[in-house]
Amino acid sequence: VRALRENRSRMVATSRLAAAVLLCLPLARAFEQGEAIPLYANKVGPFANPSELYQFFSLPFCRPKELEEKWLDLGEVLKGDRATKTLYDIRFKQNTQWQSLCKVTLDEEKAAKFKQAIVDDYYFELLLDDLPIWGYVGELETSAAPGLNDDNTTRYYLFTHLDFSLSYNGDHVIEVNVSADPLQRKDIGNAVGQMVEFTYAVRWQVTDVPYEKRMERYSQYSFLPQSFEIHWLSIINSFVLVLLLTGFLAIILMRVLKNDFSRYTRADEEEEEEEETGWKLVHGDVFRFPAHGSLLCALLGTGAQLLALVFALLVLALMNTFYPGNRGAIYSAAGGLYATTA
């Protein structure tokens, strides 16, 4: 009995470990008063095309001397995350009114990178305690002043100050927000050789939202554009169209088969030999060995594997496994299931 209990406990522990590795379940982290919370810079990219991603420090922001990358699981890597530690000094439950991050002297190359990012409406993504934060690199203002060239009518404003608004419940971080101060922005249209100072401020506030529900706001709101709206009218129209086409095809096949059956019945009654035509020739091809049997088997096996993979992912989705806080879980699950069903 004792051996059975030990085996059962080992099996349970192994299954939990496998589920944690496969689904990348996050663990709650508790912080103490004044403990430093690392802020990771993940990526930047144009807002209109969320699939176009670049590393955060591809733009000349305040860069540490040695880049320290965060450990990422397989799903996060496949998703395109490249989290790198930043110079922001954020401490648990400690407000910061104003703090200088660094000063950057803009040469022609750095100014051109920032200007192009502003024109393309770049956004950035930061991570604090595995909570994503989004914001814009800058903004472009164009005035329609007749008789002036583009250099005088276009302003490239770079956001140099970030206000972090953080909420906590007990010893857990619950909510993070960031906003750019429009009064502290830098016009870099002709800023070659100028020095830009990046600053930030941190403000903490208490909230009654429990740690288990801190990801609900991400399931209801997303900074990036989404295209998950369900068009029920289009779905119903497509379904009705499929039914009508299936019905027409069935009617045509039934009329053809009815005529064939009638002709073959008359031939049997008259005991005349009639040459087989049409669909009756199929029985001679059913057991014929295909010309490329290995290729057919490979295609059938791959199709069955992909079908099982999609079905398993749908089952996991119905179990509410891929919630927003579980970053890259669907990619990890897809990779694990693909290797398992191979």
Side-chain angles (χ1 to χ4, degrees), residues 130-141:
D130 290 330
L131 295 174
I133 316 172
W134 297 287
Y136 288 102
V137 174
E139 62 180 353
L140 184 69
E141 289 188 1

Side-chain angles (χ1 to χ4, degrees), residues 286-327:
V286 171
F287 300 103
R288 181 178 300 174
F289 191 80
H292 304 283
S294 300
L295 179 61
L296 177 61
C297 293
L299 294 177
L300 290 176
T302 303
Q305 180 185 6
L306 294 178
L307 181 61
L309 172 64
V310 172
F311 179 77
L313 289 177
L314 290 177
V315 172
L316 291 177
L318 292 175
M319 296 171 60
N320 198 22
T321 304
F322 307 128
Y323 59 94
N326 207 350
R327 299 179 60 85

Side-chain angles (χ1 to χ4, degrees), residues 126 135 180 203 207-208 210 275 314:
L126 306 177
R203 179 172 57 88
T207 181
D208 55 355
E275 183 180 358
L314 290 177

Side-chain angles (χ1 to χ4, degrees), residues 57 63-69 84-87:
F57 291 109
R63 184 187 183 99
K65 294 182 179 179
E66 296 183 0
L67 296 181
E68 180 182 347
E69 296 185 355
T84 307
K85 193 174 182 179
T86 62
L87 296 175

Side-chain angles (χ1 to χ4, degrees), residues 2-74:
R2 182 177 181 182
L4 292 176
R5 291 180 178 177
E6 292 180 355
N7 292 333
R8 182 179 299 176
S9 61
R10 290 177 182 175
M11 292 177 62
V12 172
T14 304
S15 61
R16 290 179 179 177
L17 179 61
V21 173
L22 179 62
L23 302 178
C24 307
L25 299 177
L27 299 177
R29 181 179 176 183
F31 296 95
E32 297 180 357
Q33 176 78 27
E35 182 179 355
I37 305 177
L39 180 67
Y40 292 94
N42 193 15
K43 51 196 174 185
V44 294
F47 180 80
N49 186 15
S51 60
E52 182 182 353
L53 304 174
Y54 304 96
Q55 291 187 356
F56 182 83
F57 291 109
S58 61
L59 296 179
F61 287 111
C62 297
R63 184 187 183 99
K65 294 182 179 179
E66 296 183 0
L67 296 181
E68 180 182 347
E69 296 185 355
K70 180 184 178 183
W71 185 87
L72 302 174
D73 54 48
L74 177 61

Side-chain angles (χ1 to χ4, degrees), residues 16-166:
R16 290 179 179 177
L17 179 61
V21 173
L22 179 62
L23 302 178
C24 307
L25 299 177
L27 299 177
R29 181 179 176 183
F31 296 95
E32 297 180 357
Q33 176 78 27
E35 182 179 355
I37 305 177
L39 180 67
Y40 292 94
N42 193 15
K43 51 196 174 185
V44 294
F47 180 80
N49 186 15
S51 60
E52 182 182 353
L53 304 174
Y54 304 96
Q55 291 187 356
F56 182 83
F57 291 109
S58 61
L59 296 179
F61 287 111
C62 297
R63 184 187 183 99
K65 294 182 179 179
E66 296 183 0
L67 296 181
E68 180 182 347
E69 296 185 355
K70 180 184 178 183
W71 185 87
L72 302 174
D73 54 48
L74 177 61
E76 292 174 324
V77 174
L78 294 177
K79 186 182 178 182
D81 292 349
R82 299 294 185 270
T84 307
K85 193 174 182 179
T86 62
L87 296 175
Y88 291 92
D89 185 15
I90 299 178
R91 298 187 176 274
F92 190 63
K93 296 183 183 181
Q94 285 190 2
N95 295 330
T96 302
Q97 298 298 330
W98 184 92
Q99 180 67 36
S100 177
L101 188 64
C102 75
K103 296 181 180 180
V104 177
T105 302
L106 296 180
D107 54 17
E108 186 175 355
E109 181 182 359
K110 294 179 180 179
K113 288 184 177 180
F114 273 132
K115 290 171 66 175
Q116 188 63 41
I118 295 174
V119 170
D120 294 337
D121 200 17
Y122 268 38
Y123 74 96
F124 61 82
E125 182 182 78
L126 306 177
L127 297 175
L128 181 71
D129 192 26
D130 290 330
L131 295 174
I133 316 172
W134 297 287
Y136 288 102
V137 174
E139 62 180 353
L140 184 69
E141 289 188 1
T142 304
S143 58
L148 299 178
N149 54 28
D150 292 340
D151 293 336
N152 294 328
T153 59
T154 302
R155 297 289 182 265
Y156 303 88
Y157 290 107
L158 176 66
F159 294 139
T160 59
H161 182 81
L162 296 180
D163 287 317
F164 292 93
S165 178
L166 312 176

